Amino acid sequence: MKAAILSCFPPFRGGISQFNTSLYEELSGICTVRAYNFKRQYPEFLFPGKTQYIEDSCRPPFEAVAVLDTANPLSYIRTARIISAWEPDLLLMRYWMPYFAPSQGYVARHMPRNCKVISILDNVIPHERHFFDRPLTSYYLKGHDGFVVLCNAVRDDLMSIMPDARYIVSPHPVYSNFGEAVPRLRAAQSVGVDPSMKTLLFFGLIREYKGLDILLEAFAMLDDSYQLIIAGEPYGSFERYRRLIDTNPNRSRIHLFDRFISDSEVADFFCASDLCVLPYRSATQSGISSIAYHFELPMITTAVGGLREMIGERGTGLVTDSISPEAVKEAVIRYFSDGSIRSGCMEAIRREKDRLSWKRFCTNLIDFYNTL
């Protein structure tokens, strides 16, 4: 069997690229795989971060052929021809925002009839919505034979647009590409925090829907036994969060790393922390939770999208009563006031690590392909 993957790979950075790299490596043990990368992922004026690229030293040990320029329709035709010429049995793509619908949707619709097209859907309805989201997404979806959704919330969104879609639900596997856990003292020293304090972690891209402001307001209500690590690059203006930090009564215990965090640094941030906080206003699933699982770090999340399902129902953390600073504060205090909560979360995380393996994800994917 031959499987083509068309999506972003290094040198593009971020969780989607990391996911695709792990997917490629696991699938390669099952079938013949070829990676097709973007030539251009986003035009620079549409990209809110500082750079879309990682360092050369972080690239994986396989070739990803750069073919698709998402902003150039002529490249859509060329990409479809190049992939078709390889004669794959399966084309896999990733979908997380409507911007990619025209380019990848065209390629999906121009594969040979004997090539099944499956998308792994991170989101069907984006967190930050626009009037054109639904028609673009509908165009994209209708060019496919099947879908892998990462949580029930995404499944429900898929059904709202395409009720007859063929799909499986297969949760986000646990990331394993960030190295092993390191001792807490060493990690704390590396990050520059006090290892004796109760340490909260906000990790990943800083965007409106991720609710960093909610966490900052909650942290202002905690006592001086707590410290907060914020580690991630802002997408958009950071001014609002800067004001909340500067006026926070606990600002001396807020440790800010407002930049892209390289893979080699991730272990230190998670291993220096006691609790990962996901104070999201909206969500489907979160790649951050998969990193937390890898480092066996319990979580607090708001009850949005698939996060209740992934964390609360699996027992790997606490779910707040509402999306508010007060609710986040109460959940944090509850977690640290009862040692049995931590031990229960740790046991649940270890069970999830076994369940959410890349081997199982890829086996589910191939089994689904065989039903189409």
Side-chain angles (χ1 to χ4, degrees), residues 89-300:
D89 303 292
L90 168 64
L91 172 62
L92 278 172
M93 294 192 287
R94 298 287 301 280
Y95 189 72
W96 66 99
M97 62 184 297
Y99 171 77
F100 296 99
S103 58
Q104 291 187 287
Y106 177 92
V107 175
R109 290 163 180 263
H110 289 81
M111 288 293 100
R113 289 187 177 181
N114 62 346
C115 177
K116 301 299 183 183
V117 182
I118 297 175
S119 256
I120 300 169
L121 303 177
D122 297 82
N123 300 302
V124 171
I125 299 173
H127 303 295
E128 295 150 346
R129 302 183 184 184
H130 306 88
F131 73 90
F132 49 76
D133 293 338
R134 196 175 184 92
L136 285 176
T137 298
S138 179
Y139 167 78
Y140 178 82
L141 298 176
K142 289 177 180 177
H144 287 70
D145 298 291
F147 306 94
V148 178
V149 298
L150 301 180
C151 66
N152 290 334
V154 177
R155 175 203 62 195
D156 294 344
D157 289 342
L158 172 63
M159 291 293 96
S160 73
I161 296 178
M162 193 176 182
D164 60 343
R166 300 181 69 178
Y167 70 89
I168 58 168
V169 179
S170 192
H172 196 307
V174 172
Y175 281 123
S176 56
N177 57 304
F178 297 110
E180 296 302 315
V182 297
R184 180 186 175 97
L185 180 59
R186 193 178 97 192
Q189 289 173 339
S190 179
V191 174
V193 298
D194 185 342
S196 68
M197 299 185 73
K198 302 168 189 172
T199 306
L200 310 180
L201 174 66
F202 179 96
F203 190 87
L205 296 177
I206 299 171
R207 302 181 68 172
E208 170 68 19
Y209 74 88
K210 293 193 174 185
L212 175 57
D213 55 318
I214 295 171
L215 177 55
L216 285 168
E217 292 178 20
F219 186 70
M221 295 183 275
L222 295 172
D223 64 37
D224 60 7
S225 65
Y226 294 88
Q227 62 186 344
L228 170 62
I229 298 172
I230 302 168
E233 181 181 4
Y235 268 26
S237 173
F238 191 72
E239 185 56 34
R240 176 186 183 187
Y241 308 108
R242 176 65 68 184
R243 286 197 301 269
L244 287 171
I245 293 171
D246 290 344
T247 58
N248 198 299
N250 295 327
R251 60 184 174 275
S252 64
R253 287 177 279 108
I254 298 174
H255 304 273
L256 176 63
F257 303 85
D258 53 341
R259 56 176 175 79
F260 177 75
I261 307 300
S262 67
D263 289 3
S264 62
E265 299 175 282
V266 172
D268 286 332
F269 285 103
F270 279 81
C271 294
S273 304
D274 295 295
L275 191 61
C276 183
V277 186
L278 306 171
Y280 291 10
R281 289 186 168 86
S282 67
T284 45
Q285 70 286 318
S286 170
I288 305 304
S289 66
S290 297
I291 305 174
Y293 283 156
H294 175 64
F295 292 110
E296 300 186 359
L297 184 65
M299 290 162 279
I300 284 178

